[in-house]
Amino acid sequence: MSGIALAVYWNGEKTAVKAAQAMADAAPFRAPDGTYLWVSTGADAAVVYQSMRVTPEAEVERQPFVDRATGVVYAAYARLDGREELIRELTRELERLRAATQPVHEDAPVTDVELVAAAHRRWGDDAPAHLVGDFAYVAYDPRSRRVFAARDPMGLRPLYYLSEPGRLLLATEVAQVLAAPGVLRELDRVALLGHLLQEYRDEARTAYVGIAALPPARALVATPSQTLTRRFWDYDLTRSVRFASEDEYAQAFRDAFATAVKDRLRSDSVVAANLSGGMDSGATVATAGWLRRRGDVQHPRLRTYSFAYEELEDADERHISDLLVSHYGLDAVNVPADDAWPLSSYPALTADVGDPMAIVYQDLIARLARMAHGDRARVIMTSARGDLVVGDAVQDQLGMLLAGRFVDLNADLNHYARWRGIDKVAAVRRLLVRQALGEVTTHPWTLSLRNALRPRPPRPALDPASQAPWVERGAVAELVAGLTASQRSEPQGLGGPGDSALVRRPKRERRKIIDLPSARKMLEWDERFHARFSLEVTDPWSDRRVAELALAMPQWMVQRHAERKRIARRAMRGLMPEDMRTAARKIDPSPLFRRALEERAVGTISHLLADMVTADMGLLDEVALRRHYEDVRAGASDLPGFWPALTLEAWLRAHHVGA
């Protein structure tokens, strides 16, 4: 949970220190262990590192780090994985680097920022593609006046920038960029509309005109004449992993996942883990407990935090999670949940100035974070990406058929038929025939022929009727016009050697889901929110190596109708108590939300739905939104866009009244 910032004035203006200091002051919570500054000789450039020491190596780390041989200045908010292999690969560069830049003492461990600098000595601008882990860093060369910055492929560490003719500002938070002198706070209406409709395809867009996010897996190169970004890494969908037995698939996944968990336990502080009754967090904590019992982790101080409902018993998951706590004798903390309903702390917990996003259960998460911080934790392990990496959104019954897995296919068809209340023939039609026809009809040649023979009018890019009918139609048109084409490049290849189109389709679907823009937006919120409690977020399900393996496996091995999160459950045999392994499931916490909507937060919501700033801005119909809330209080289901409308209104009132 550190932070970095950079200010470079291309026009030679000697105010970089003032800008850098203002950016650091805007996020003091990112620097519990101090703020450190590098300033160029001409005072036209400054680099800031805000320190929170988490790993053992960080105790001897010095940032900003200057490579004395090249003069390049580095600041890295990073936790690099696969360190032993990387150190071996960069041995020569590290020796030369340390010869030019003496470490704190001769036997000092290699720090992450040293690895970043050595990687740049070896691979230049291709360096970030060779780094595994969570990172965002900047490298400034005062001799050539060139800035290079990069962000990790999975998007765990954020980076934002403002590029103007006379200067470049770059920082960990939007709020930090806004704090620099002379930065205009002009709201980006398209971004606000995107928030209302939960449309985040343009990952470079922020709530402010001119301030951009560096998307995951992107590098930025800036000089006095131009600022460019490029993708430095993408999933290789040509990779395929095939084993002779299901046990071998499970062992391979267990090995990769255990490595991801072990890397995230590399800390000198207490490591907090959010533990529910679901498979994702259960697998994370079970693997951590197993590594701890085996003595495979340097630092075994692990503490779990589970939400405890005494009144809303249907939302309580401890009857599942306690099985794991007991099995490994974990230090467990129960977080009282019944009175932490959404908006219970309004307006104290309004989203920060940088972004209007605020998730429904942030009051509950804030309580957990405060307790973990009070227990001196500096790392919190979540499992936010588990549903995306091994969840049930991707099905591959056709793959089972082609692989000759007829018994498994029959079980899946029977399970689907029972779940849907249909007969076996209808299940075959939906899961096999329809998917096969879908693959044929979406082939580029077939689409071209179909469009030529039977042209159709283009479908609207966005239709808010199903999720936010109160958004003004004119505003929707404004959003559609303002959305840029996705910056994501096409995957490298379409499948492994010999893979048919029917095998490639599930891979493409899984990749798209793993990198879902709305999920990445949530991860950014997660990092930013926990930073306010001096907690660094880690997620083994967001480990690039785990995602790559899940994509390389046949998707019928990863997930099936008859066995949800199949690969994770199989991998946890022997690590997770058997009664939990079979019972682990996600329990819906929505009773807490309904309590807020119908009882506890009625006054706050009514306040937010009166004299709305969003309505004055022409973004939504206040009367229609209030009517929807009246229906909700009468027992109707809330639409997906209701919460974003509330949070945007709260954010505008807190930070932009009169905008």
Side-chain angles (χ1 to χ4, degrees), residues 164-208:
E164 296 177 326
R167 65 177 175 176
L168 174 73
L169 302 173
L170 181 147
T172 301
E173 300 211 15
V174 170
Q176 292 177 289
V177 179
L178 288 171
V183 175
L184 299 178
R185 294 193 174 196
E186 181 183 353
L187 293 174
D188 186 327
R189 283 176 57 88
V190 171
L192 302 188
L193 288 163
H195 172 84
L196 285 174
L197 293 172
Q198 300 172 80
E199 168 53 67
Y200 305 114
R201 274 178 293 177
D202 188 348
E203 294 184 80
R205 192 181 292 272
T206 73
Y208 297 91

Side-chain angles (χ1 to χ4, degrees), residues 384-434:
R385 231 191 198 115
D387 280 338
L388 310 180
V389 175
V390 296
D392 59 2
V394 178
Q395 295 292 331
D396 190 19
Q397 288 75 28
L398 282 171
M400 276 190 266
L401 178 64
L402 294 172
R405 314 283 299 202
F406 303 122
V407 174
D408 295 330
L409 175 60
N410 185 59
D412 234 35
L413 291 171
N414 288 333
H415 185 275
Y416 182 80
R418 289 194 301 271
W419 177 54
R420 283 293 191 183
I422 58 178
D423 60 33
K424 185 82 166 284
V425 174
V428 170
R429 229 179 6 247
R430 292 187 187 184
L431 294 183
L432 294 175
V433 178
R434 187 179 295 176

Side-chain angles (χ1 to χ4, degrees), residues 29-246:
F29 44 83
R30 289 191 174 271
D33 295 320
T35 297
Y36 303 92
L37 179 69
W38 173 91
V39 184
S40 66
T41 303
D44 59 347
V47 179
V48 169
Y49 177 66
Q50 296 174 285
S51 173
M52 186 178 84
R53 292 189 287 272
V54 171
T55 64
E57 296 79 16
E59 294 296 327
V60 296
E61 191 171 59
R62 295 181 297 184
Q63 293 200 53
F65 178 83
V66 181
D67 184 337
R68 299 298 177 189
T70 64
V72 177
V73 185
Y74 296 90
Y77 172 25
R79 192 211 67 254
L80 299 183
D81 300 332
R83 287 173 53 83
E84 292 180 4
E85 181 181 347
L86 188 59
I87 289 171
R88 282 196 302 270
E89 196 165 6
L90 296 174
T91 297
R92 182 177 300 176
E93 287 76 19
L94 286 167
E95 289 174 351
R96 292 174 178 173
L97 184 70
R98 288 197 155 191
T101 311
Q102 291 297 321
V104 174
H105 55 81
E106 191 174 320
D107 297 326
V110 176
T111 64
D112 287 333
V113 73
E114 285 181 307
L115 286 172
V116 169
H120 271 267
R121 279 184 167 227
R122 173 78 174 272
W123 296 297
D125 287 358
D126 291 331
H130 296 268
L131 303 177
V132 177
D134 306 336
F135 61 82
Y137 69 86
V138 61
Y140 175 63
D141 187 344
R143 300 174 186 178
S144 63
R145 304 192 75 203
R146 182 179 187 267
V147 175
F148 182 91
R151 186 176 171 206
D152 67 84
M154 305 303 287
L156 269 290
R157 303 289 166 89
L159 211 51
Y160 303 93
Y161 65 96
L162 172 66
S163 178
E164 296 177 326
R167 65 177 175 176
L168 174 73
L169 302 173
L170 181 147
T172 301
E173 300 211 15
V174 170
Q176 292 177 289
V177 179
L178 288 171
V183 175
L184 299 178
R185 294 193 174 196
E186 181 183 353
L187 293 174
D188 186 327
R189 283 176 57 88
V190 171
L192 302 188
L193 288 163
H195 172 84
L196 285 174
L197 293 172
Q198 300 172 80
E199 168 53 67
Y200 305 114
R201 274 178 293 177
D202 188 348
E203 294 184 80
R205 192 181 292 272
T206 73
Y208 297 91
V209 173
I211 300 178
L214 185 64
R218 303 306 200 283
L220 173 146
V221 177
T223 63
S225 58
Q226 63 180 357
T227 298
L228 301 173
T229 62
R230 66 172 180 85
R231 175 180 280 279
F232 63 78
W233 179 88
D234 206 344
Y235 295 101
D236 181 3
L237 296 190
T238 65
R239 181 188 174 205
S240 293
V241 172
R242 299 292 182 266
F243 294 112
S245 69
E246 294 194 2

